[in-house]
Amino acid sequence: QVQLVESGGGLVQAGGSLRLSCAASGRTFSTYAMGWFRQAPGKEREFVALIKRSTYYADSVKDRFTIFRDNAKNSVYLQMNTLKPEDTAVYYCAAYRDGGSIYTDPSRYDYWGQGTQVTVSS
C-alpha cells in the first residue's frame, strides 16, 4: 500500500512558476513509476508527466514542466515554469508498480493522492 500526499499548489500569474511535491509512504518507493495528472472543471483527468528510468511528458507541457524524484526522500516533484491559464486544474500525483510498461492512462495507476489546486491567472 502506498499513500501519496501532494503539496505546493496555489495561485500564480501567467508566466510564473510553481513546484508541486508529492510525498509517498512505504519502503519500496523506488520500485514505483510516478506520474502527475491534472483535471480541470468539466474535463477528464489528463496525463501530464511520468518518471521511470526516463521521463515522459504530455505535448502541452513539454519544455515547460519537469518531473523529478528523490528516492531517499520518497518524493516526486513537478517543476512548472511559464505557466498558462490553461494549466489551471487540480493536479494529482499517482503511482504504479514499475514492471517496465509506460502508462499515460490514469486507469493503469494503482495509487492516487488527494490533489492540489493550481490556478493561473491571466
Side-chain angles (χ1 to χ4, degrees):
Q1 188 78 5
V2 176
Q3 292 184 324
L4 303 173
V5 179
E6 303 98 334
S7 60
L11 173 64
V12 64
Q13 288 189 330
S17 298
L18 278 177
R19 178 177 292 184
L20 305 183
S21 300
C22 174
S25 65
R27 293 177 288 179
T28 58
F29 175 74
S30 62
T31 66
Y32 285 85
M34 300 300 299
W36 285 96
F37 288 78
R38 66 187 182 187
Q39 188 166 18
K43 295 188 176 181
E44 295 197 350
R45 193 167 297 190
E46 66 172 359
F47 170 77
V48 174
L50 168 65
I51 185 165
K52 295 161 45 66
R53 290 184 181 271
S54 299
T55 56
Y56 307 86
Y57 297 95
D59 288 342
S60 59
V61 306
K62 204 171 292 183
D63 300 325
R64 298 190 298 122
F65 290 10
T66 302
I67 186 172
F68 59 101
R69 66 192 297 166
D70 185 340
N71 289 337
K73 294 184 178 180
N74 275 19
S75 293
V76 63
Y77 307 91
L78 186 68
Q79 177 66 42
M80 306 185 294
N81 298 330
T82 320
L83 282 160
K84 304 175 181 180
E86 51 264 44
D87 294 318
T88 295
V90 177
Y91 283 70
Y92 297 89
C93 172
Y96 65 90
R97 186 65 68 93
D98 190 357
S101 299
I102 299 167
Y103 294 134
T104 61
D105 181 347
S107 69
R108 304 307 296 251
Y109 286 69
D110 300 312
Y111 304 102
W112 291 85
Q114 82 289 351
T116 186
Q117 175 71 46
V118 171
T119 303
V120 184
S121 63
S122 57

